Amino acid sequence: MAGSALKRLMAEYKQLTLNPPEGIIAGPVDEENFFEWEALIMGPQDTCFEGGVFPARLTFPPDYPLSPPKMKFTCEIFHPNIYSDGRVCISILHAPGDDPMGYETSAERWSPVQSVEKILLSVVSMLAEPNDESAANVDAAKTWRDDRNGFEEIAQVTVRKSLGL
Amino acid sequence: MYLWCDGQHDTPTMPAILLERLPLPSLRSYVSFSVLVLALATFYAHQTVRTKMNFNPDTEVVEELGLPPELANITLPYSNDEHFYNLMYVMRVETWCIWVRLSSATFDVRHEGGDLVHMGTFVLRDFCTSFDVRLLMYVMRVKTWCIWVRLSSATFDVRLLMYVMRVETWCIWTLVNTCYCLLILLGKLIQNIVFGELRVSEQQHLKDKFWNFVFYKFIFIFGVMNVQSMEEVVLWVAWFSALGFLHLLTQVCKDRFEYLSFSPATPRVSHVKLLSLLTCIFTSCCVLLAASAWVALHISLTICAFLGAECFLLLLKCLYVMLRLLSRLCAVELHGNIFLSMASLVICMQLRFLFYEFQRRIKRHKNYLKVVKDMEAKSAETTVLSPPMCCLVCSNNRSPSPSSCLRSWLEQDTSCPTCRTALSETPQGERNPMGPPGAPNVADGIVPPAPQGTTNHFFHFDGSRYVSWLPSFSVEVTHTNLLPGQQAHATQTSQLDNMAREVQVVFPSIPQQVIMEDLRVTRSVDQTIDNILEGRLIVPQVRLAVCATGETGCASGETGCVCHR
């Protein structure tokens, strides 16, 4: 199982380096261990996260691509769909069997034809448009809904922090 | 402020530890001491009565003894020593005594020692009005030769003795001490009858509880109530002694009951004994409660509240132990050793969950086998349609068998990895256990039968139709169908199937599910084909949605669908 996972991960790495999508850099942390990736995601343009570079870590299970990887931001980020410890909560990262929130249709869940690139792209779109209906970070969702300016200010602070300013 | 929640502290407190070191006398020595003191007091009182009392009863004594007041008014001709003559005088003078004389011709008692004994018995036998007897007894007590008469009427002597004792202070303490001694002896007796030898833990509990009780009651009497007069202290102490006695007995009962309920084979007798003792305690509690009610009526409501609350607590505790004991006795009679405990309930729930989990897994596996079989049967026909392309799952062009990757996915979830069409035979509705809403309200408090084919029950009760204050409520019971293939889509007719197949021949890349959806609306092959050509039909691409709802930050999906349907 791990053999096919490794092959698939290597193929995806190759694909990502040959045709890198805009605003995303991803690759294994260590060439020896292809199951731990690091990704840098640039904040999408025309959003409050614009200009920021957010590092994240992807952990792949041995039975990848049958099971989804786990994704966790290693920087501080205030977002309705990101837990305060950095874990990302999007449906594409949920295996079809489990449904933590109870209202995701299986069409939005993980499937083996998904890829790292698609995950990262959907994370970018998530950054651009948070979904406050199934919030992982309730505080953030509340701020996003009720106090958009405050949310943007906090986002700007995170952006600056992510750049080391 | 501490009030009365004492006995709940089971750990020995500071004073308890200190007091435990005090050398307490053994029960035997204490009892003998008490008896000795009591005997001394009695002797003293007796002496007092003998020397100080005379026949000329002063008003106080008459009242004290409950004698009729006219007795005090009789003037006696003889000296104090000649009581007998005085008696005779009284009898002669008083009209009510005349017939005594008349009735006995030989009634010559002037000779001392003659027929006096006879007379005494005579009077005792025939004139048993209390006045006569008392008067006679009074005389007889003073005269030494009347001993036997005196003995036969011990009650009278005791009353007199008590009177003396009440007057003398040190005698009071003797009496109090005697009461405690009796109480302790009673406790010992009960212990011997009901409990037998107390176990070490029971003794320890008893001791702790006793000292706690004493300590807190001491604080209560002198600290909280701030009792001043001696009489009040005595009363309070008496009350708390009774209460404490019952408390301790209840505690021992509780301990013993717990011990009995854990030991496998206990004789029925010990249970019954315990129960009868508890009943006694219960009754005493009720009596005490009644006493506190009396206090409320006659003295003060505050004190009654103090007394009553204590009693009530004790009553509750006693009742609790009693009920537990009774339930145990009944349960043993009814079901042997089987008890419905919380633990078994929890295990049952767990097993139920496990059962459902099993059912779900088996269903999934059956589904998987079916799909794989179906896939293999169809792959022979469809290989022509699908051009050689790389495996989407493992991204390997030279995958030995593309279906192995797919199969391992299907083991997890029987859906197409690309378009997420469910590959199971069970209809889509089964995935959404909510189902369609139930039948409309039939607002008469009736259970309307659900429409045929669905297993939903809807119950509505409109109470306000009948009485204005009745509540209205509705209950909906939804069954999830756990067995596959039992419930087919009503609309998925064979006709629709045929139409879908026609469309799929033209557009093999469009999943059947989507075509079916459209056909259900259009009901015509041509119109559906038009819809597809004009792009009105949305083919579900791999939709990337943020968490639950429809943020479709979509990435272009592969068009080649893995499911060959």
Side-chain angles (χ1 to χ4, degrees):
Chain A
M1 212 60 193
S4 73
L6 193 62
K7 263 182 210 158
R8 157 96 186 229
L9 284 169
M10 282 164 117
E12 281 196 48
Y13 181 42
K14 196 173 149 196
Q15 181 67 25
L16 274 169
T17 38
L18 288 178
N19 308 307
E22 203 188 319
I24 291 171
I25 302 168
V29 180
D30 179 4
E31 299 273 328
E32 298 291 303
N33 181 10
F34 260 85
F35 291 87
E36 280 283 332
W37 284 35
E38 181 142 48
L40 290 174
I41 296 169
M42 271 169 58
Q45 281 184 349
D46 304 322
T47 68
C48 52
F49 292 102
E50 185 177 350
V53 177
F54 304 104
R57 197 165 269 260
L58 286 147
T59 312
F60 295 90
D63 63 343
Y64 182 80
L66 297 177
S67 294
K70 289 191 178 70
M71 186 170 174
K72 188 178 175 178
F73 276 97
T74 49
C75 66
E76 206 179 286
I77 187 159
F78 188 69
H79 190 278
N81 304 109
I82 300 171
Y83 288 101
S84 47
D85 63 350
R87 276 181 297 129
V88 180
C89 171
I90 52 174
S91 60
I92 194 177
L93 289 178
H94 294 150
D98 54 33
D99 187 355
M101 298 300 180
Y103 45 81
E104 296 169 355
T105 62
S106 66
E108 296 159 348
R109 307 273 195 86
W110 174 255
S111 111
V113 296
Q114 311 285 27
S115 63
V116 178
E117 188 187 334
K118 284 177 198 162
I119 292 170
L120 293 176
L121 280 173
S122 55
V123 168
V124 169
S125 82
M126 175 200 81
L127 285 180
E129 289 177 64
N131 168 22
D132 60 353
E133 278 174 41
S134 67
N137 186 340
V138 181
D139 282 343
K142 208 164 175 299
T143 320
W144 161 261
R145 204 180 309 173
D146 303 336
D147 179 15
R148 196 58 67 87
N149 288 338
F151 183 85
E152 278 164 10
E153 266 170 42
I154 298 172
Q156 282 306 308
V157 172
T158 15
V159 165
R160 253 174 272 138
K161 256 188 199 168
S162 74
L163 296 173
L165 296 174
Chain B
M1 184 178 72
Y2 176 80
L3 284 180
W4 55 70
C5 35
D6 46 64
Q8 275 45 273
H9 312 273
D10 280 329
T11 48
T13 50
M14 257 306 277
I17 292 164
L18 282 178
L19 282 166
E20 233 168 286
R21 298 209 180 120
L22 281 178
L24 284 176
S26 73
L27 184 64
R28 194 180 294 251
S29 48
Y30 174 64
V31 170
S32 33
F33 169 76
S34 301
V35 169
L36 193 70
V37 173
L38 184 66
L40 270 176
T42 321
F43 180 70
Y44 170 79
H46 187 250
Q47 283 302 310
T48 320
V49 170
R50 272 191 81 157
T51 50
K52 290 187 183 162
M53 292 288 155
N54 53 42
F55 182 64
N56 219 356
D58 51 2
T59 329
E60 198 188 326
V61 173
V62 167
E63 275 176 15
E64 193 64 48
L65 294 178
L67 299 180
E70 56 261 34
L71 194 65
N73 300 329
I74 297 169
T75 35
L76 297 168
Y78 299 98
S79 68
N80 280 349
D81 290 334
E82 296 176 312
H83 302 292
F84 182 70
Y85 299 108
N86 276 332
L87 174 71
M88 285 305 105
Y89 170 76
V90 170
M91 283 186 139
R92 214 170 22 205
V93 176
E94 292 290 315
T95 39
W96 50 266
C97 287
I98 289 172
W99 67 275
V100 178
R101 270 175 304 166
L102 289 175
S103 68
S104 169
T106 56
F107 193 64
D108 190 3
V109 283
R110 231 165 293 185
H111 304 288
E112 197 168 311
D115 269 348
L116 235 181
V117 169
H118 179 247
M119 186 215 79
T121 44
F122 180 76
V123 174
L124 273 176
R125 197 181 57 229
D126 291 0
F127 309 102
C128 263
T129 69
S130 62
F131 180 78
D132 288 355
V133 175
R134 278 182 196 170
L135 192 67
L136 195 68
M137 284 306 106
Y138 191 72
V139 177
M140 282 182 166
R141 184 170 31 74
V142 187
K143 291 282 170 186
T144 34
W145 39 262
C146 288
I147 287 173
W148 73 269
V149 184
R150 215 162 59 218
L151 283 177
S152 69
S153 65
T155 45
F156 180 69
D157 272 334
V158 170
R159 276 184 77 167
L160 207 84
L161 284 177
M162 293 294 280
Y163 170 71
V164 176
M165 283 180 162
R166 239 174 311 168
V167 180
E168 299 283 325
T169 16
W170 73 269
C171 286
I172 292 177
W173 292 117
T174 317
L175 283 179
V176 168
N177 179 61
T178 313
C179 287
Y180 275 107
C181 186
L182 286 175
L183 200 64
I184 290 168
L185 283 174
L186 180 67
K188 190 83 187 161
L189 186 74
I190 290 173
Q191 185 220 309
N192 277 336
I193 292 173
V194 179
F195 302 110
E197 194 70 31
L198 285 184
R199 291 176 308 122
V200 181
S201 66
E202 283 168 351
Q203 275 177 354
Q204 193 56 46
H205 264 158
L206 203 65
K207 222 182 254 174
D208 292 347
K209 196 143 179 94
F210 173 72
W211 286 119
N212 264 294
F213 195 83
V214 170
F215 175 62
Y216 286 115
K217 289 312 162 206
F218 184 81
I219 291 176
F220 177 73
I221 292 172
F222 296 103
V224 179
M225 294 303 286
N226 204 8
V227 176
Q228 297 295 332
S229 78
M230 196 65 197
E231 278 158 17
E232 273 185 85
V233 171
V234 170
L235 278 176
W236 275 111
V237 166
W239 171 265
F240 283 131
S241 306
L243 209 64
F245 183 68
L246 294 178
H247 252 305
L248 292 181
L249 277 182
T250 319
Q251 177 67 39
V252 179
C253 278
K254 197 171 159 230
D255 283 349
R256 181 50 62 99
F257 164 68
E258 269 155 20
Y259 171 68
L260 286 180
S261 60
F262 281 121
S263 46
T266 42
R268 174 60 56 91
V269 189
S270 46
H271 276 114
V272 173
K273 274 183 188 170
L274 214 56
L275 195 63
S276 44
L277 176 61
L278 279 166
T279 320
C280 290
I281 298 173
F282 189 78
T283 330
S284 322
C285 276
C286 292
V287 170
L288 286 182
L289 210 59
S292 65
W294 182 85
V295 166
L297 285 176
H298 292 270
I299 301 170
S300 130
L301 212 62
T302 334
I303 295 175
C304 163
F306 280 127
L307 302 178
E310 291 248 3
C311 277
F312 196 64
L313 273 182
L314 184 59
L315 206 70
L316 280 185
K317 194 176 168 184
C318 180
L319 206 63
Y320 166 73
V321 182
M322 258 170 96
L323 285 179
R324 275 186 68 188
L325 190 66
L326 269 176
S327 74
R328 193 184 145 77
L329 275 177
C330 294
V332 165
E333 268 172 16
L334 292 175
H335 320 289
N337 281 323
I338 300 163
F339 282 94
L340 183 70
S341 66
M342 210 56 207
S344 53
L345 209 67
V346 169
I347 289 172
C348 257
M349 296 293 283
Q350 290 289 328
L351 284 178
R352 189 167 153 267
F353 177 74
L354 206 70
F355 172 72
Y356 283 135
E357 185 68 23
F358 257 119
Q359 213 171 20
R360 210 171 58 83
R361 291 258 170 140
I362 287 170
K363 199 190 95 201
R364 216 172 68 181
H365 188 67
K366 270 186 185 166
N367 215 341
Y368 161 73
L369 288 178
K370 208 171 187 174
V371 167
V372 166
K373 209 175 138 196
D374 201 39
M375 195 176 72
E376 273 168 3
K378 280 185 182 169
S379 63
E381 309 161 17
T382 48
T383 36
V384 192
L385 279 170
S386 55
M389 58 184 215
C390 84
C391 172
L392 285 171
V393 176
C394 63
S395 310
N396 193 344
N397 280 327
R398 290 153 299 175
S399 179
S401 128
S403 67
S404 73
C405 291
L406 189 58
R407 210 177 284 196
S408 49
W409 167 250
L410 290 175
E411 267 176 46
Q412 281 200 359
D413 193 59
T414 44
S415 66
C416 167
T418 307
C419 67
R420 303 313 301 255
T421 309
L423 296 176
S424 56
E425 290 300 306
T426 45
Q428 197 73 29
E430 193 257 329
R431 286 177 173 269
N432 270 337
M434 292 312 287
N441 308 357
V442 181
D444 270 319
I446 312 161
V447 189
Q452 302 218 324
T454 71
T455 44
N456 293 344
H457 295 280
F458 190 79
F459 174 82
H460 181 80
F461 178 77
D462 191 4
S464 52
R465 264 176 98 95
Y466 308 106
V467 191
S468 61
W469 47 266
L470 268 176
S472 301
F473 62 90
S474 40
V475 179
E476 188 177 351
V477 183
T478 313
H479 293 275
T480 51
N481 199 350
L482 288 162
L483 298 169
Q486 236 183 33
Q487 191 184 351
H489 249 284
T491 44
Q492 192 168 352
T493 52
S494 56
Q495 192 196 354
L496 216 61
D497 251 339
N498 287 335
M499 278 157 46
R501 223 164 281 147
E502 272 181 57
V503 179
Q504 192 136 42
V505 171
V506 188
F507 301 100
S509 63
I510 293 184
Q512 192 191 11
Q513 198 78 19
V514 180
I515 296 168
M516 289 284 274
E517 287 286 328
D518 197 59
L519 276 173
R520 245 172 243 145
V521 183
T522 57
R523 292 270 165 194
S524 127
V525 178
D526 292 337
Q527 198 152 359
T528 304
I529 290 174
D530 278 354
N531 279 348
I532 295 168
L533 285 174
E534 284 163 30
R536 267 174 285 178
L537 196 71
I538 303 145
V539 180
Q541 302 264 322
V542 183
R543 293 173 63 205
L544 303 177
V546 178
C547 272
T549 48
E551 294 298 328
T552 47
C554 190
S556 61
E558 266 81 354
T559 35
C561 193
V562 190
C563 58
H564 307 289
R565 287 176 68 157

